[in-house]
Amino acid sequence: MPDPSLRDYDLDLPDGLIAQRPAERRDGARMLVLDRATGALEDRRFTDFPSLLRPGDAVVFNDTRVVPARLVGRRPTGGRAELFLIERRPDGTWEALAKPGRTLRAGATVELGDRLAATIEDVEPETGRRIVRFSRDGAPFASAEAEQETLDAVGRMPLPHYVDRDADAADRERYQTVFARARGAVAAPTAGLHFTARTLRQLGEAGAVQARVTLHVGYGTFEPVRATDLAQHRVAAETVEVTPETADALNAARQRSGRVVAVGTTSTRALETSADADGRFHPVAGPTDLTVTPGYRFRAVDALLTNFHLPQSSLLVLTATFGGLGAVMDAYRHAVREGYRFYSYGDCMLII
C-alpha cells in the first residue's frame, strides 16, 4: 500500500458537532472505545474509564497549566487590538501574535486597562511575531512576578479558533485540568479536562498507578500540517519534563506487566521522548520536537485516551498512527454518525 497522504486524514464534520462549551459536568462526556487489535468500537461514557483499567496499569497525565495568554485591548485611536502571548524572553520582552497585524507595527501601543499598556518594540520578519514590552502607569514592572500577576488578571483563556465565542469567567476553571500545576501552556491538554477528583480516586480503587509528566503545549499545536509528504512534517519544539520519580514508577509498572495509559497526545509525546528503544523510561528535561508520522514505532504507550481532533492535523496523524489509520478514521466517521461532540470541549476516545 502507498504511504498515507494528508488527504487520508480528512473528514466531513458538520459544524454543529464542534463543541462550543464543555459538558455540564467534567466527567459527563461520552467515550468511544476502539480496540486496535480488532477494530471493534463500543459506545461508552467517560465515567466507565476506571473500570476499563487493570490493576497495575499506569495512567499518565500532563500537569501543565494554561496561561491566560490572550490580551484584548484598544489602540490609542479606539480600535480593538489583541495580543496572544507566546513566550517571555530573558530581556523582559514577550513574543506575541497580534491582531490587526497591519496596524500593530513597531512603535504601536495597546491599552489593556487597569493602567496597563503594551508597546510593540519590533516585528520579526520571518514569523510576524511582535516583540512586546509591558508597562504600568508608564513605568516598567518592578519584577517579573508582578508583571505575570497583572497579565494573569487581565488575560483571557486562549480558547482555540474553532470555539466561536470569547472566553468567559467559567473558562478559567473548565479550560484547565484539575491536576494542572506547572504554568506554561497556551492550550489545554484536553483529554485531561474530563477528570475529576472522584475519577482520580476511582483510579486508585481500580489498582491503577497515577503518574505526571509536563509538556507545555505551545502555539505550534494550532498550526496546520503544511507538508503533503507527512515524512517531511515537523511539530514545533515544546518543553517537556519527565522526573526521575515518574520514570521509576513507569518502569516498575512495566515490570509488573502493567499498561502505560497516556491521557492525551501531549502526554504521549512526553512519554515517547522519555523512552528508549527498549521501552525503558528515563528522566528528561528540555525541548522535544518529536513528531509522530506513519511508520513511527511506539515504545512507551500501550493505550491512549484522547479527544477528537481536527481533520488533517498533527494530533490526528499521531492518533491514527497509534490506533491504525483505517480503524481511527472509521471510528471518527462512527462518531460523526452518532453525534459525538468534537475538539477541545468535546467527547473522547479510548484506544486500547
Side-chain angles (χ1 to χ4, degrees), residues 37-117:
T38 66
L41 296 172
E42 187 177 5
D43 297 304
R44 303 286 291 257
R45 307 293 305 184
F46 172 73
T47 48
D48 296 328
F49 176 72
S51 69
L52 298 175
L53 299 175
R54 304 169 187 163
D57 284 350
V59 182
V60 185
F61 304 95
N62 181 4
D63 67 2
T64 188
R65 188 169 187 83
V66 182
V67 177
R70 185 166 170 253
L71 304 176
V72 179
R74 296 284 173 184
R75 289 169 281 154
T77 57
R80 178 184 169 112
E82 293 186 22
L83 295 172
F84 190 106
L85 301 181
I86 305 295
E87 185 178 13
R88 192 177 195 273
R89 306 193 332 172
D91 65 357
T93 60
W94 287 80
E95 292 184 28
L97 303 178
K99 290 196 305 188
R102 66 182 183 279
T103 58
L104 293 180
R105 300 171 180 168
T109 60
V110 179
E111 298 166 357
L112 297 165
D114 197 27
R115 309 189 309 277
L116 178 68

Side-chain angles (χ1 to χ4, degrees), residues 63-303:
D63 67 2
T64 188
R65 188 169 187 83
V66 182
V67 177
R70 185 166 170 253
L71 304 176
V72 179
R74 296 284 173 184
R75 289 169 281 154
T77 57
R80 178 184 169 112
E82 293 186 22
L83 295 172
F84 190 106
L85 301 181
I86 305 295
E87 185 178 13
R88 192 177 195 273
R89 306 193 332 172
D91 65 357
T93 60
W94 287 80
E95 292 184 28
L97 303 178
K99 290 196 305 188
R102 66 182 183 279
T103 58
L104 293 180
R105 300 171 180 168
T109 60
V110 179
E111 298 166 357
L112 297 165
D114 197 27
R115 309 189 309 277
L116 178 68
T119 300
I120 312 297
E121 293 196 343
D122 199 3
V123 179
E124 294 184 342
E126 292 186 2
T127 65
R129 292 182 178 182
R130 271 54 176 178
I131 307 304
V132 179
R133 191 177 297 276
F134 293 98
S135 60
R136 192 167 190 174
D137 291 330
F141 281 87
S143 66
E145 292 75 19
E147 179 187 71
Q148 191 65 72
E149 183 178 347
T150 299
L151 294 177
D152 283 355
V154 301
R156 302 182 185 183
M157 294 301 273
L159 298 182
H161 64 87
Y162 45 75
V163 176
D164 190 20
R165 62 177 177 83
D166 284 338
D168 57 28
D171 293 306
R172 282 189 173 257
E173 176 193 358
R174 294 301 302 275
Y175 197 62
Q176 198 84 266
T177 65
V178 297
F179 41 79
R181 178 191 60 84
R183 58 174 294 121
V186 300
T190 54
L193 296 178
H194 305 291
F195 287 82
T196 65
R198 179 172 178 266
T199 313
L200 298 179
R201 287 196 303 272
Q202 290 173 329
L203 296 183
E205 294 166 0
V209 174
Q210 297 177 42
R212 304 285 193 269
V213 297
T214 304
L215 187 139
H216 292 314
V217 188
Y219 186 76
T221 194
F222 299 113
E223 294 180 345
V225 178
R226 295 187 174 88
T228 54
D229 179 0
L230 291 174
Q232 303 303 313
H233 173 59
R234 289 293 177 270
V235 174
E238 296 170 316
T239 300
V240 64
E241 181 179 16
V242 178
T243 65
E245 292 77 14
T246 290
D248 289 345
L250 296 176
N251 288 327
R254 275 275 171 81
Q255 289 177 348
R256 297 190 301 268
S257 299
R259 296 174 299 180
V260 175
V261 182
V263 177
T265 56
T266 59
S267 294
T268 299
R269 289 186 68 225
L271 291 167
E272 293 294 321
T273 298
S274 169
D276 62 24
D278 296 323
R280 184 167 181 80
F281 296 94
H282 302 272
V284 295
T288 179
D289 60 358
L290 175 72
T291 303
V292 175
T293 54
Y296 179 85
R297 184 177 70 84
F298 286 85
R299 53 202 185 189
V301 175
D302 302 304

